[in-house]
Amino acid sequence: MRASEPAGEILSEEQSDESKELMPATKDYYGILGIKKTASGEEIRKAFRKLARKYHPDVNPGDKKAEEKFKEISEANDVLSDPKKRKIYDQVGFYSDNIDPATAAAYAAGGGRPGGYAPGGGFGEGSRGQGVPFDFSGFDFSDLGGAGQARGGPGGSSFRDIFSGIFGGRGGAGVADEGPEEGSDLEYQVNVGFWQAIRGAELRLNIARQDVCSNCHGTGYLESPGVCPECKGAGQVTQTSGRMKFNVPCPRCGGTGHPRTVCNVCRGEGVVNRTDPLTVRIKPGTRDGQRIRLAGKGNAGAHGGPPGDLYIIVRAGEHPVFRREGDDIHITVPVTSTEAALGAKIEVPTIDGRTQLKVPPGTQSGQRLRLREKGVPSATKDGVRGDQIVEIKIIVPKVHDERSKEILRELARLNPEDPRAEIWPKV
Ligand SMILES: [Zn+2]
Ligand SMILES: [Zn+2]
């Protein structure tokens, strides 16, 4: 029973030959390689190598046509040299990674009966791919899916994949090239002073980045009044997939129906290079090497794609007295041998100003004393501060007068000790 004739957006299959050139995805791979449909793997390989030598970009520098041709034969070879891909291509009339073999087999079987699909409900998810949207409203492809299931293949979703493969897949040639592309991330290194990193700062930077072209508003094209020569102003052209035909947005005018020319400012990229002032806040406690992410401040995306991110890498400067390790501040403080021997309260500098430090009696040179929470406030943990580590450096008195020397000799007599005694057993 011919339950349904293809109607509406799907034209009858008798017209399929006229519009073959308009099909970006349904290419004649055999014709491209100049081989018969029955060609062996070896014949395919030979044909490809011969053509590849002729059209390789290295042999034809700057020749766009040769480049296109090389891409074409590479694509044909990619599919035909792989027996699995070739089988799907033979069955369906095109190849996409999204098609699984069982579905292709079912499609080939179902395609022999063009009445097998019925107009009916919607095909809402058909245009979910990010390729060119196309109108399937008013058609129900569930019968096709049913055919797949009846032969043990997967259900209707695979057929949707076929369709998204036609229009959104990498085989989509010129049409797919214009799809939105995400902008790339940018990375800038910024030198800040020691105190700026600790106390925070507002930096005014000039960031060179790719911005949306204001001449074409990022589309890469300029539209002019008049009628597109390709679609005669309809905005749609007919594409064929196997035995089915679809109306899709015209690739030449992008569905506008008006002539388009490549934007002369951005040369079709949709983005231009420009330098913009940007104010970046550095949090108090920012560490050397820290990356600050500014979402969406990277390069603009092409053809309406989202922008990338901007990363600021902070390089914190040094200080003549304070040495920073993470959130801790290190400092070396000289004390006299008397202060070290007897103990003392001394004043030491911190990043907040002077503070009192108790040096315990008998402190040795190189000993480290900790001043809790006198370090750097953490940039990542609220209310948390590092410590200040004070390294003691004992300064020996320079005695010149006889009286002082006598006192030191007296001291040595009273405290006979050999500081090197512990070394010998270890040698
Ligand atoms: Zn532009
Ligand atoms: Zn057009």
Side-chain angles (χ1 to χ4, degrees):
M1 143 189 110
R2 285 177 83 88
S4 53
E5 284 293 336
E9 297 285 25
I10 296 184
L11 309 178
S12 66
E13 69 179 33
E14 283 75 37
Q15 297 174 25
S16 60
D17 281 346
E18 301 156 17
S19 51
K20 271 232 153 98
E21 310 88 295
L22 300 176
M23 313 174 322
T26 316
K27 289 177 181 156
D28 180 9
Y29 289 150
Y30 292 103
I32 287 167
L33 293 182
I35 49 175
K36 286 187 195 143
K37 286 209 171 185
T38 53
S40 68
E42 180 62 19
E43 285 172 315
I44 292 167
R45 202 175 67 86
K46 273 187 183 162
F48 170 67
R49 291 183 78 174
K50 193 176 151 202
L51 290 167
R53 270 199 294 275
K54 188 173 170 189
Y55 292 109
H56 195 280
D58 289 353
V59 188
N60 306 274
D63 185 343
K64 281 274 169 217
K65 272 190 180 157
E67 195 185 318
E68 278 311 308
K69 186 79 185 161
F70 184 74
K71 279 184 195 164
E72 216 174 27
I73 60 173
S74 300
E75 188 185 318
N77 178 63
D78 177 58
V79 172
L80 296 187
S81 64
D82 181 332
K84 281 183 202 150
K85 292 182 181 179
R86 184 180 178 184
K87 190 171 180 192
I88 290 171
Y89 174 79
D90 287 343
Q91 288 169 326
V92 184
F94 59 94
Y95 179 78
S96 158
D97 288 338
N98 294 324
I99 309 170
D100 74 70
T103 311
Y107 176 84
R113 297 177 289 110
Y117 35 84
F123 196 72
E125 286 168 84
S127 56
R128 76 204 155 122
Q130 53 170 316
V132 180
F134 55 100
D135 185 12
F136 268 113
S137 53
F139 295 93
D140 185 357
F141 285 79
S142 56
D143 276 16
L144 272 177
Q149 276 167 333
R151 285 165 173 82
S157 64
S158 296
F159 284 92
R160 284 197 287 276
D161 288 343
I162 289 177
F163 297 122
S164 62
I166 300 170
F167 302 108
R170 60 202 172 90
V175 180
D177 287 346
E178 291 172 27
E181 245 176 78
E182 195 174 334
S184 52
D185 292 340
L186 277 176
E187 214 175 75
Y188 274 82
Q189 190 165 301
V190 173
N191 297 317
V192 301
F194 177 84
W195 292 112
Q196 281 184 307
I198 288 176
R199 292 175 181 154
E202 258 191 12
L203 305 174
R204 280 172 188 76
L205 307 173
N206 286 314
I207 302 291
R209 58 187 287 269
Q210 290 178 340
D211 202 2
V212 173
C213 174
S214 57
N215 192 44
C216 62
H217 306 289
T219 60
Y221 293 96
L222 297 176
E223 205 174 295
S224 46
V227 171
C228 168
E230 178 101 31
C231 62
K232 313 281 185 280
Q236 289 192 319
V237 292
T238 306
Q239 287 191 341
T240 314
S241 165
R243 293 163 180 270
M244 289 187 286
K245 306 191 77 181
F246 313 97
N247 282 344
V248 299
C250 169
R252 179 144 176 186
C253 64
T256 61
H258 300 292
R260 291 198 303 187
T261 51
V262 172
C263 173
N264 55 332
V265 172
C266 63
R267 292 186 299 275
E269 291 298 314
V271 292
V272 289
N273 292 323
R274 53 181 288 180
T275 303
D276 282 324
L278 181 74
T279 303
V280 178
R281 256 177 43 78
I282 303 282
K283 273 195 192 173
T286 293
R287 293 183 185 188
D288 180 56
Q290 197 164 318
R291 274 155 64 98
I292 299 170
R293 177 172 172 261
L294 297 160
K297 297 284 185 189
N299 284 326
H303 308 298
D309 298 332
L310 169 65
Y311 290 92
I312 303 286
I313 297 163
V314 176
R315 287 282 159 214
E318 297 189 345
H319 188 275
V321 173
F322 299 117
R323 198 162 35 82
R324 210 176 141 181
E325 276 180 24
D327 291 337
D328 290 339
I329 293 284
H330 289 247
I331 181 175
T332 301
V333 172
V335 300
T336 65
S337 53
T338 320
E339 286 171 328
L342 301 178
K345 264 190 178 166
I346 61 168
E347 240 181 9
V348 295
T350 72
I351 58 169
D352 298 324
R354 294 165 180 239
T355 195
Q356 293 275 323
L357 174 67
K358 218 178 124 187
V359 178
T363 295
Q364 300 295 334
S365 203
Q367 203 168 319
R368 288 169 177 198
L369 304 173
R370 186 176 293 264
L371 287 164
R372 295 215 176 270
E373 302 202 317
K374 293 287 185 188
V376 181
S378 167
T380 48
K381 285 174 239 157
D382 248 9
V384 173
R385 276 189 81 155
D387 299 334
Q388 177 161 311
I389 314 295
V390 178
E391 182 173 331
I392 299 297
K393 181 181 170 192
I394 292 174
I395 304 299
V396 173
K398 293 182 181 116
V399 290
H400 303 291
D401 61 295
E402 207 40 51
R403 168 98 177 110
S404 298
K405 289 178 186 173
E406 189 48 48
I407 290 170
L408 287 178
R409 285 186 204 108
E410 177 74 15
L411 184 69
R413 275 194 295 276
L414 284 171
N415 301 275
E417 54 185 352
D418 180 3
R420 293 167 293 280
E422 283 179 23
I423 293 179
W424 302 117
K426 296 175 190 163
V427 178

